[in-house]
Amino acid sequence: MRAVLKNIPIFKGLNEAERSLIFNNGILKNYRKGEIVFKKGESGSILYVVIKGEIKISLFRDDKEIILKYFREGEFFGELPLFTLGKRTATAIACKNSTLFMLDHRVFLTVLKKSPEILLKITREMAKRIEESNKKIFSLAFLDTAGKIARYLYDLSREKGEEIGEWILIKDRPQISEIAKNLGISRETASRVINTWRKAGMIELKRKEIFINREFLSEV
């Protein structure tokens, strides 16, 4: 476990004593696909780091799910209540079988006092997430359906895309239903827009991959 956690970005730069404090007081827990990590409204006293797998953060209203964010290997989540002492503002669910490192807030805050570098990393990440949230709010409020999907694919290509000639390859692609949930639109509407682009040669859908034409992305 030490070898894995040592390479997690948020823990890099710690001295041996600080690493030992974290490693000796944290625990690993496995979650099955679909299992809830925490629910909206619950008290939050744990910081989570994704060691393996993928976690989604969602809101539910009238049996409708809106996906706010995905967290993958090496990323952390659940940090906000550690500072505000408030409750969870959304629900975290395992998208696939996942392993999480869990750290109690008392240990975490002790390390923060001794290592300002971690606090700086977290502050930068929180600022980045606020910026992403602002972009998403703008997209949901002002863009039409096609614009929302195009912006989503653009952001996804920036996050995990690989350049292959005239195309951007995104592996382990989200299903159309996931895209719809992320944007708060119906699956049928998302499917209709994406199929229009597919027929126009702007994107290609494979079983677990999506290829997006770079010219298409340049216009987003």
Side-chain angles (χ1 to χ4, degrees):
M1 183 177 76
R2 283 176 176 264
V4 174
L5 292 175
K6 188 175 181 180
N7 292 320
I8 298 296
I10 190 177
F11 296 144
K12 286 185 177 179
L14 296 179
N15 60 43
E16 187 58 36
E18 291 164 344
R19 282 198 295 266
S20 295
L21 179 63
I22 288 177
F23 300 157
N24 293 337
N25 288 277
I27 62 172
L28 286 176
K29 184 174 180 179
N30 295 318
Y31 288 86
R32 299 185 303 275
K33 179 180 178 180
E35 189 172 357
I36 293 175
V37 179
F38 57 73
K39 293 182 178 180
K40 179 183 177 182
E42 292 181 347
S43 297
S45 60
I46 301 292
L47 174 75
Y48 298 86
V49 181
V50 182
I51 303 301
K52 182 180 70 174
E54 184 177 61
I55 304 295
K56 64 179 178 180
I57 307 297
S58 298
L59 289 174
F60 295 87
R61 183 177 182 181
D62 299 329
D63 296 325
K64 184 177 182 180
E65 179 185 13
I66 298 179
I67 301 173
L68 303 178
K69 178 75 175 174
Y70 290 95
F71 292 102
R72 302 177 178 89
E73 183 175 328
E75 297 182 317
F76 66 89
F77 65 96
E79 74 285 351
L80 192 57
L82 303 185
F83 296 98
T84 65
L85 302 180
K87 298 183 181 299
R88 300 294 185 188
T89 57
T91 297
I93 304 170
C95 299
K96 56 183 72 172
N97 293 339
S98 302
T99 300
L100 302 181
F101 178 74
M102 303 164 58
L103 189 65
D104 182 82
H105 75 287
R106 289 166 294 188
V107 176
F108 180 66
L109 293 178
T110 297
V111 175
L112 283 185
K113 292 176 183 178
K114 297 180 178 180
S115 180
E117 185 175 345
I118 287 190
L119 181 58
L120 181 59
K121 290 179 181 179
I122 291 178
T123 302
R124 286 174 176 167
E125 182 62 26
M126 291 175 71
K128 177 183 174 183
R129 292 176 186 179
I130 291 173
E131 182 180 6
E132 291 175 351
S133 295
N134 288 340
K135 289 180 180 178
K136 188 165 187 175
I137 290 171
F138 175 85
S139 174
L140 294 175
F142 298 107
L143 297 180
D144 60 15
T145 299
K148 293 175 184 178
I149 298 174
R151 169 57 62 175
Y152 175 86
L153 294 177
Y154 174 82
D155 290 341
L156 196 62
S157 70
R158 292 285 300 272
E159 178 184 350
K160 53 189 296 189
E162 300 177 17
E163 293 188 8
I164 300 180
E166 298 179 354
W167 299 87
I168 301 294
L169 166 64
I170 299 173
K171 298 180 179 178
D172 194 21
R173 73 170 178 88
Q175 298 299 310
I176 293 178
S177 59
E178 294 179 49
I179 296 175
K181 289 178 181 179
N182 200 291
L183 299 175
I185 60 179
S186 70
R187 185 190 185 285
E188 292 73 18
T189 299
S191 180
R192 184 167 59 250
V193 171
I194 290 174
N195 280 332
T196 298
W197 291 338
R198 181 178 58 80
K199 291 177 182 178
M202 294 294 98
I203 65 175
E204 292 185 13
L205 298 178
K206 305 295 184 181
R207 184 168 177 267
K208 292 186 177 182
E209 301 171 333
I210 180 172
F211 290 84
I212 307 175
N213 188 279
R214 295 177 65 179
E215 182 180 352
F216 170 77
L217 288 177
S218 68
E219 298 176 356
V220 176

